[in-house]
Amino acid sequence: MKKISLKNKKVFIAGHTGLVGQSLCKRLENEKCKILFVNKKKLDLRDFNKTDRWLKLNKPDYIFIAAARVGGILENSSYPANFIYDNLSIALNLIHLSYKNNIKKVLYLGSSCIYPKFSKQPIKEDSLLTGPLEPTNEWYAIAKIAGLKLCKAYGIQYKKNFISAMPTNLYGPGDNFDVKSGHVLPGLINKIHEAVKQNKKKVTIWGTGKPKREFLFVDDLADALIFLMKKYNKSDHINIGSGKEVSILNLAKTIAKVIGFKGKFIFDKSKPDGTPRKLINSKKINSIGWKCKTDLFDGINTTYKWYLNNKSK
Ligand code: GDP
Protein backbone atom coordinates (compact mmCIF):
# COMPACT_ATOMS: atom_id res chain seq x y z
CA MET A 1 0.00 0.00 0.00
CA LYS A 2 1.50 3.35 -1.09
CA LYS A 3 1.80 5.63 1.95
CA ILE A 4 2.07 9.39 1.80
CA SER A 5 3.38 11.82 4.38
CA LEU A 6 1.72 15.18 4.95
CA LYS A 7 4.83 16.68 6.56
CA ASN A 8 5.68 20.11 5.13
CA LYS A 9 2.91 19.71 2.54
CA LYS A 10 0.18 22.25 1.86
CA VAL A 11 -3.14 20.77 2.96
CA PHE A 12 -6.33 22.66 2.12
CA ILE A 13 -9.35 22.05 4.32
CA ALA A 14 -12.41 23.15 2.38
CA GLY A 15 -15.04 23.81 5.04
CA HIS A 16 -12.70 24.49 7.97
CA THR A 17 -15.40 26.15 10.12
CA GLY A 18 -17.79 23.20 9.99
CA LEU A 19 -18.05 20.34 12.48
CA VAL A 20 -15.60 18.13 10.55
CA GLY A 21 -13.34 20.97 9.36
CA GLN A 22 -12.70 22.26 12.88
CA SER A 23 -11.74 18.83 14.13
CA LEU A 24 -9.52 18.18 11.09
CA CYS A 25 -7.64 21.47 11.64
CA LYS A 26 -6.95 20.47 15.25
CA ARG A 27 -5.88 16.92 14.41
CA LEU A 28 -3.69 17.97 11.45
CA GLU A 29 -1.47 20.00 13.79
CA ASN A 30 0.25 16.70 14.69
CA GLU A 31 1.14 16.12 11.05
CA LYS A 32 3.44 19.16 10.76
CA CYS A 33 1.86 20.22 7.48
CA LYS A 34 0.91 23.69 6.35
CA ILE A 35 -2.85 23.98 6.78
CA LEU A 36 -4.63 26.16 4.23
CA PHE A 37 -8.15 27.46 4.72
CA VAL A 38 -10.22 30.30 3.41
CA ASN A 39 -13.09 32.26 4.84
CA LYS A 40 -16.55 31.66 3.30
CA LYS A 41 -16.96 35.40 2.74
CA LYS A 42 -13.69 35.56 0.80
CA LEU A 43 -14.28 32.51 -1.36
CA ASP A 44 -17.65 31.03 -2.28
CA LEU A 45 -16.80 27.46 -3.32
CA ARG A 46 -19.92 27.43 -5.51
CA ASP A 47 -18.17 29.98 -7.74
CA PHE A 48 -16.08 28.08 -10.30
CA ASN A 49 -13.85 30.97 -11.47
CA LYS A 50 -13.07 32.31 -8.02
CA THR A 51 -12.30 28.82 -6.74
CA ASP A 52 -10.00 28.25 -9.71
CA ARG A 53 -8.13 31.51 -9.03
CA TRP A 54 -7.75 30.68 -5.35
CA LEU A 55 -6.32 27.22 -6.08
CA LYS A 56 -3.88 28.63 -8.64
CA LEU A 57 -2.66 31.21 -6.16
CA ASN A 58 -2.39 28.94 -3.11
CA LYS A 59 -1.31 25.67 -4.79
CA PRO A 60 -2.34 23.05 -2.23
CA ASP A 61 -0.80 19.57 -2.44
CA TYR A 62 -3.75 17.80 -0.81
CA ILE A 63 -7.41 18.70 -0.30
CA PHE A 64 -10.00 17.51 2.21
CA ILE A 65 -13.47 18.42 0.88
CA ALA A 66 -15.42 18.89 4.10
CA ALA A 67 -17.41 21.88 2.83
CA ALA A 68 -21.13 21.24 2.48
CA ARG A 69 -24.55 22.60 3.25
CA VAL A 70 -25.73 20.31 6.04
CA GLY A 71 -28.80 20.13 8.22
CA GLY A 72 -31.13 17.90 10.19
CA ILE A 73 -34.24 16.13 8.98
CA LEU A 74 -36.50 19.23 8.86
CA GLU A 75 -33.93 21.55 7.33
CA ASN A 76 -33.12 19.00 4.63
CA SER A 77 -36.71 18.46 3.60
CA SER A 78 -37.60 22.19 3.75
CA TYR A 79 -34.87 23.52 1.42
CA PRO A 80 -34.43 20.92 -1.35
CA ALA A 81 -33.10 23.38 -3.94
CA ASN A 82 -30.44 24.80 -1.62
CA PHE A 83 -29.30 21.35 -0.57
CA ILE A 84 -28.94 19.96 -4.08
CA TYR A 85 -27.51 23.11 -5.68
CA ASP A 86 -24.95 24.03 -3.02
CA ASN A 87 -23.63 20.52 -2.54
CA LEU A 88 -23.50 19.71 -6.24
CA SER A 89 -21.63 22.89 -7.11
CA ILE A 90 -19.08 22.47 -4.29
CA ALA A 91 -18.35 18.88 -5.40
CA LEU A 92 -18.25 19.67 -9.11
CA ASN A 93 -16.03 22.74 -8.76
CA LEU A 94 -13.54 21.30 -6.29
CA ILE A 95 -13.16 17.91 -7.94
CA HIS A 96 -12.90 19.18 -11.51
CA LEU A 97 -10.54 22.00 -10.45
CA SER A 98 -8.39 19.58 -8.47
CA TYR A 99 -7.89 17.72 -11.71
CA LYS A 100 -7.19 20.93 -13.66
CA ASN A 101 -4.73 22.19 -11.03
CA ASN A 102 -2.90 18.89 -10.54
CA ILE A 103 -3.74 18.39 -6.87
CA LYS A 104 -1.90 15.24 -5.71
CA LYS A 105 -4.75 13.70 -3.75
CA VAL A 106 -8.30 14.64 -2.76
CA LEU A 107 -10.50 13.20 -0.05
CA TYR A 108 -14.20 13.91 -0.61
CA LEU A 109 -16.61 13.52 2.28
CA GLY A 110 -19.93 11.83 1.59
CA SER A 111 -22.58 10.75 4.06
CA SER A 112 -24.34 7.52 5.03
CA CYS A 113 -27.67 8.95 3.77
CA ILE A 114 -26.51 8.15 0.23
CA TYR A 115 -27.60 4.54 0.78
CA PRO A 116 -31.12 3.29 -0.04
CA LYS A 117 -33.76 3.75 2.66
CA PHE A 118 -34.26 0.01 3.16
CA SER A 119 -30.68 -1.21 2.75
CA LYS A 120 -29.64 -4.48 4.32
CA GLN A 121 -27.97 -3.66 7.66
CA PRO A 122 -25.12 -3.11 8.40
CA ILE A 123 -24.92 -1.25 5.08
CA LYS A 124 -22.02 -2.30 2.88
CA GLU A 125 -20.35 0.04 0.41
CA ASP A 126 -21.80 -1.91 -2.53
CA SER A 127 -25.42 -1.18 -1.48
CA LEU A 128 -25.12 2.16 -3.24
CA LEU A 129 -27.82 2.72 -5.89
CA THR A 130 -29.62 -0.55 -5.19
CA GLY A 131 -32.93 1.05 -4.13
CA PRO A 132 -34.87 4.30 -3.53
CA LEU A 133 -33.46 6.94 -1.15
CA GLU A 134 -35.02 8.26 2.05
CA PRO A 135 -37.22 11.18 0.80
CA THR A 136 -36.38 13.57 3.70
CA ASN A 137 -32.77 13.89 2.55
CA GLU A 138 -32.70 12.73 -1.05
CA TRP A 139 -31.58 16.14 -2.38
CA TYR A 140 -28.50 16.13 -0.21
CA ALA A 141 -27.92 12.44 -0.96
CA ILE A 142 -28.09 12.90 -4.75
CA ALA A 143 -25.44 15.63 -4.57
CA LYS A 144 -23.20 13.48 -2.37
CA ILE A 145 -23.60 10.47 -4.70
CA ALA A 146 -22.58 12.74 -7.60
CA GLY A 147 -19.50 13.82 -5.60
CA LEU A 148 -18.26 10.30 -5.02
CA LYS A 149 -18.98 9.30 -8.62
CA LEU A 150 -16.97 12.35 -9.76
CA CYS A 151 -14.00 11.10 -7.73
CA LYS A 152 -14.36 7.69 -9.29
CA ALA A 153 -14.75 9.03 -12.85
CA TYR A 154 -11.62 11.19 -12.60
CA GLY A 155 -9.81 8.18 -11.16
CA ILE A 156 -10.82 5.94 -14.07
CA GLN A 157 -10.30 8.43 -16.89
CA TYR A 158 -7.36 10.52 -15.63
CA LYS A 159 -5.80 8.17 -13.03
CA LYS A 160 -6.35 10.77 -10.33
CA ASN A 161 -6.00 9.71 -6.69
CA PHE A 162 -9.39 11.14 -5.64
CA ILE A 163 -10.90 9.11 -2.81
CA SER A 164 -14.20 9.39 -0.94
CA ALA A 165 -15.28 8.48 2.56
CA MET A 166 -18.83 7.86 3.86
CA PRO A 167 -19.12 8.76 7.53
CA THR A 168 -22.12 7.77 9.60
CA ASN A 169 -24.07 10.38 11.68
CA LEU A 170 -21.53 12.69 13.29
CA TYR A 171 -21.55 14.77 16.46
CA GLY A 172 -19.12 16.73 18.60
CA PRO A 173 -17.86 20.19 19.62
CA GLY A 174 -18.71 22.87 17.06
CA ASP A 175 -21.94 21.16 15.95
CA ASN A 176 -25.14 23.06 15.12
CA PHE A 177 -27.18 23.04 18.33
CA ASP A 178 -30.16 24.87 16.83
CA VAL A 179 -33.25 22.73 17.42
CA LYS A 180 -34.94 23.53 14.10
CA SER A 181 -32.03 23.19 11.69
CA GLY A 182 -29.64 20.82 13.50
CA HIS A 183 -29.41 17.05 13.85
CA VAL A 184 -30.93 15.01 16.64
CA LEU A 185 -27.95 14.72 19.02
CA PRO A 186 -27.10 18.43 19.35
CA GLY A 187 -30.84 19.28 19.16
CA LEU A 188 -31.60 17.02 22.14
CA ILE A 189 -28.60 18.37 24.11
CA ASN A 190 -30.04 21.86 23.64
CA LYS A 191 -33.62 20.83 24.54
CA ILE A 192 -32.65 18.77 27.59
CA HIS A 193 -30.25 21.43 28.89
CA GLU A 194 -33.00 24.08 28.61
CA ALA A 195 -35.52 21.78 30.32
CA VAL A 196 -33.19 21.33 33.32
CA LYS A 197 -32.52 25.07 33.48
CA GLN A 198 -36.21 25.94 33.38
CA ASN A 199 -37.14 23.10 35.73
CA LYS A 200 -39.40 21.50 33.11
CA LYS A 201 -40.44 17.89 33.62
CA LYS A 202 -40.96 16.95 29.95
CA VAL A 203 -38.90 17.02 26.77
CA THR A 204 -40.35 16.41 23.31
CA ILE A 205 -38.72 13.91 20.98
CA TRP A 206 -39.67 14.20 17.30
CA GLY A 207 -41.24 11.16 15.68
CA THR A 208 -41.68 7.87 17.54
CA GLY A 209 -38.22 7.60 19.14
CA LYS A 210 -37.93 4.15 17.52
CA PRO A 211 -35.58 4.83 14.58
CA LYS A 212 -32.03 3.73 15.18
CA ARG A 213 -28.93 5.70 14.33
CA GLU A 214 -25.21 5.05 14.54
CA PHE A 215 -23.16 7.95 15.92
CA LEU A 216 -19.48 8.75 15.44
CA PHE A 217 -17.55 11.32 17.48
CA VAL A 218 -16.08 13.89 15.11
CA ASP A 219 -12.48 13.58 16.43
CA ASP A 220 -12.61 9.87 15.57
CA LEU A 221 -13.71 10.82 12.08
CA ALA A 222 -10.86 13.34 11.70
CA ASP A 223 -8.48 10.58 12.71
CA ALA A 224 -9.96 8.22 10.11
CA LEU A 225 -9.79 10.86 7.37
CA ILE A 226 -6.10 11.51 7.95
CA PHE A 227 -5.50 7.77 8.07
CA LEU A 228 -7.24 7.39 4.67
CA MET A 229 -5.46 10.38 3.15
CA LYS A 230 -2.15 8.77 4.04
CA LYS A 231 -2.95 5.14 3.23
CA TYR A 232 -6.04 4.56 1.08
CA ASN A 233 -5.63 4.90 -2.65
CA LYS A 234 -8.72 3.31 -4.21
CA SER A 235 -11.44 5.23 -6.02
CA ASP A 236 -14.19 3.09 -4.40
CA HIS A 237 -15.84 4.90 -1.47
CA ILE A 238 -15.23 3.62 2.04
CA ASN A 239 -17.54 3.66 5.10
CA ILE A 240 -16.50 5.17 8.45
CA GLY A 241 -18.65 4.21 11.43
CA SER A 242 -18.54 3.36 15.11
CA GLY A 243 -20.28 0.02 14.57
CA LYS A 244 -22.83 0.76 17.32
CA GLU A 245 -26.41 1.87 16.85
CA VAL A 246 -28.86 3.25 19.37
CA SER A 247 -32.58 4.08 19.24
CA ILE A 248 -33.47 7.78 19.37
CA LEU A 249 -35.20 7.20 22.74
CA ASN A 250 -32.08 5.54 24.19
CA LEU A 251 -29.96 8.34 22.79
CA ALA A 252 -32.22 10.82 24.63
CA LYS A 253 -31.83 8.79 27.84
CA THR A 254 -28.02 8.79 27.50
CA ILE A 255 -28.01 12.57 26.98
CA ALA A 256 -30.35 12.93 30.00
CA LYS A 257 -27.82 10.97 32.09
CA VAL A 258 -24.94 13.22 31.01
CA ILE A 259 -26.92 16.41 31.71
CA GLY A 260 -28.78 15.17 34.80
CA PHE A 261 -32.38 15.39 33.50
CA LYS A 262 -34.80 13.27 35.54
CA GLY A 263 -38.06 14.10 33.71
CA LYS A 264 -40.04 12.32 30.99
CA PHE A 265 -39.92 12.14 27.23
CA ILE A 266 -42.98 12.70 25.09
CA PHE A 267 -43.28 12.10 21.36
CA ASP A 268 -44.33 14.51 18.62
CA LYS A 269 -45.55 12.10 15.96
CA SER A 270 -46.34 14.92 13.52
CA LYS A 271 -42.56 15.08 12.85
CA PRO A 272 -40.93 12.55 10.49
CA ASP A 273 -39.00 9.50 11.66
CA GLY A 274 -36.90 9.39 8.52
CA THR A 275 -35.10 6.19 7.70
CA PRO A 276 -35.72 3.37 10.24
CA ARG A 277 -32.06 2.27 10.54
CA LYS A 278 -28.78 3.53 9.18
CA LEU A 279 -25.99 1.33 10.53
CA ILE A 280 -23.07 1.13 8.15
CA ASN A 281 -20.65 -1.72 7.72
CA SER A 282 -17.13 -0.49 8.57
CA LYS A 283 -15.29 -3.78 8.04
CA LYS A 284 -13.35 -2.41 5.09
CA ILE A 285 -11.73 0.45 7.03
CA ASN A 286 -11.32 -1.76 10.14
CA SER A 287 -9.48 -4.35 8.05
CA ILE A 288 -6.89 -1.82 6.91
CA GLY A 289 -6.18 -0.73 10.49
CA TRP A 290 -8.57 2.00 11.70
CA LYS A 291 -11.04 1.66 14.58
CA CYS A 292 -13.35 4.09 16.38
CA LYS A 293 -12.11 4.93 19.91
CA THR A 294 -14.68 7.13 21.62
CA ASP A 295 -17.71 5.63 23.32
CA LEU A 296 -21.08 7.43 23.00
CA PHE A 297 -21.36 8.49 26.66
CA ASP A 298 -17.83 10.00 26.69
CA GLY A 299 -18.35 11.69 23.34
CA ILE A 300 -21.63 13.26 24.51
CA ASN A 301 -19.94 14.37 27.74
CA THR A 302 -17.16 16.17 25.81
CA THR A 303 -19.73 17.70 23.44
CA TYR A 304 -21.91 18.90 26.33
CA LYS A 305 -18.92 20.54 28.04
CA TRP A 306 -18.17 22.39 24.80
CA TYR A 307 -21.83 23.43 24.54
CA LEU A 308 -21.77 24.79 28.13
CA ASN A 309 -18.66 26.87 27.42
CA ASN A 310 -19.67 28.10 23.99
CA LYS A 311 -23.40 27.99 23.35
CA SER A 312 -25.66 27.89 26.40
CA LYS A 313 -27.11 31.24 27.46
P1 GDP B 1 -31.44 11.95 9.93
O1 GDP B 1 -30.45 11.03 10.58
O2 GDP B 1 -31.06 12.38 8.56
O3 GDP B 1 -32.84 11.37 9.97
O4 GDP B 1 -31.46 13.34 10.73
P2 GDP B 1 -31.69 13.82 12.25
O5 GDP B 1 -30.46 13.66 13.04
O6 GDP B 1 -32.23 15.22 12.13
O7 GDP B 1 -32.86 12.91 12.85
C1 GDP B 1 -32.66 11.60 13.31
C2 GDP B 1 -33.93 11.06 14.01
O8 GDP B 1 -34.09 11.72 15.28
C3 GDP B 1 -35.23 11.28 13.26
O9 GDP B 1 -36.02 10.12 13.46
C4 GDP B 1 -35.85 12.48 13.99
O10 GDP B 1 -37.26 12.55 13.87
C5 GDP B 1 -35.43 12.16 15.42
N1 GDP B 1 -35.48 13.29 16.37
C6 GDP B 1 -36.05 13.25 17.61
N2 GDP B 1 -35.96 14.44 18.22
C7 GDP B 1 -35.27 15.25 17.38
C8 GDP B 1 -34.83 16.61 17.47
O11 GDP B 1 -35.05 17.31 18.45
N3 GDP B 1 -34.11 17.10 16.42
C9 GDP B 1 -33.85 16.35 15.29
N4 GDP B 1 -33.14 16.89 14.30
N5 GDP B 1 -34.27 15.06 15.18
C10 GDP B 1 -34.97 14.52 16.20
Side-chain angles (χ1 to χ4, degrees):
M1 200 183 286
K2 203 180 113 211
K3 253 180 95 171
I4 63 164
S5 162
L6 300 178
K7 198 171 167 193
N8 300 326
K9 295 288 190 319
K10 286 193 197 173
V11 181
F12 172 36
I13 304 176
H16 71 288
T17 54
L19 174 65
V20 176
Q22 286 181 45
S23 178
L24 259 177
C25 284
K26 205 171 56 185
R27 169 69 180 78
L28 274 171
E29 279 168 17
N30 303 337
E31 303 295 324
K32 312 237 174 322
C33 54
K34 183 170 180 345
I35 302 172
L36 304 181
F37 51 84
V38 57
N39 201 297
K40 241 189 208 164
K41 287 199 185 105
K42 261 188 142 176
L43 175 64
D44 183 341
L45 295 166
R46 296 170 305 178
D47 185 320
F48 184 87
N49 292 324
K50 283 189 185 151
T51 305
D52 194 24
R53 276 201 292 279
W54 191 89
L55 289 173
K56 285 195 163 61
L57 195 70
N58 291 281
K59 298 185 176 40
D61 295 294
Y62 300 105
I63 303 184
F64 287 95
I65 307 181
R69 174 185 275 264
V70 293
I73 195 161
L74 278 195
E75 182 82 353
N76 246 284
S77 44
S78 309
Y79 303 102
N82 293 144
F83 273 84
I84 195 160
Y85 177 79
D86 291 357
N87 290 306
L88 264 180
S89 12
I90 292 170
L92 195 58
N93 290 348
L94 280 176
I95 295 167
H96 182 69
L97 289 171
S98 293
Y99 154 66
K100 282 272 184 206
N101 289 288
N102 271 318
I103 307 298
K104 293 190 181 80
K105 187 168 179 178
V106 170
L107 194 163
Y108 176 74
L109 228 85
S111 152
S112 60
C113 71
I114 60 161
Y115 293 116
K117 175 169 180 148
F118 297 110
S119 297
K120 195 171 159 232
Q121 313 275 323
I123 312 170
K124 281 193 186 156
E125 283 87 354
D126 63 10
S127 304
L128 188 69
L129 297 173
T130 55
L133 297 165
E134 155 58 37
T136 53
N137 55 27
E138 68 173 306
W139 319 102
Y140 177 76
I142 290 283
K144 288 285 168 188
I145 293 171
L148 70 95
K149 290 291 182 192
L150 277 163
C151 289
K152 195 157 181 182
Y154 282 76
I156 295 170
Q157 188 172 339
Y158 300 120
K159 307 282 169 281
K160 294 279 107 190
N161 196 357
F162 294 174
I163 63 169
S164 50
M166 300 302 122
T168 192
N169 291 36
L170 301 168
Y171 71 99
D175 209 341
N176 173 12
F177 290 85
D178 180 66
V179 171
K180 276 205 188 105
S181 62
H183 284 104
V184 59
L185 197 151
L188 285 177
I189 287 184
N190 188 341
K191 283 192 213 170
I192 295 174
H193 171 81
E194 285 303 315
V196 171
K197 222 171 79 180
Q198 295 164 28
N199 211 8
K200 285 189 184 154
K201 302 281 173 258
K202 286 178 192 160
V203 165
T204 307
I205 292 179
W206 296 353
T208 61
K210 286 181 187 152
K212 289 181 174 172
R213 294 288 182 273
E214 175 188 19
F215 293 96
L216 180 67
F217 188 55
V218 71
D219 289 355
D220 283 336
L221 176 77
D223 221 52
L225 296 178
I226 294 166
F227 172 88
L228 292 174
M229 183 59 108
K230 287 172 163 177
K231 294 193 181 152
Y232 184 75
N233 297 308
K234 292 193 181 134
S235 62
D236 292 319
H237 63 279
I238 183 162
N239 287 342
I240 311 176
S242 61
K244 294 199 179 109
E245 61 178 346
V246 57
S247 73
I248 298 302
L249 176 60
N250 282 337
L251 170 74
K253 287 181 180 167
T254 309
I255 297 173
K257 214 166 160 190
V258 170
I259 299 182
F261 171 69
K262 304 247 164 17
K264 273 190 170 164
F265 291 109
I266 51 172
F267 300 94
D268 174 1
K269 291 183 183 157
S270 72
K271 297 279 193 314
D273 265 347
T275 198
R277 279 180 84 188
K278 210 172 16 174
L279 176 67
I280 59 174
N281 183 319
S282 301
K283 276 195 179 150
K284 194 161 144 185
I285 190 166
N286 295 156
S287 73
I288 56 171
W290 179 86
K291 264 205 166 66
C292 157
K293 292 193 193 87
T294 313
D295 123 280
L296 186 62
F297 186 90
D298 294 343
I300 292 175
N301 207 11
T302 308
T303 308
Y304 182 53
K305 280 195 185 126
W306 186 91
Y307 170 83
L308 285 178
N309 290 327
N310 294 276
K311 289 282 169 192
S312 65
K313 289 148 251 150

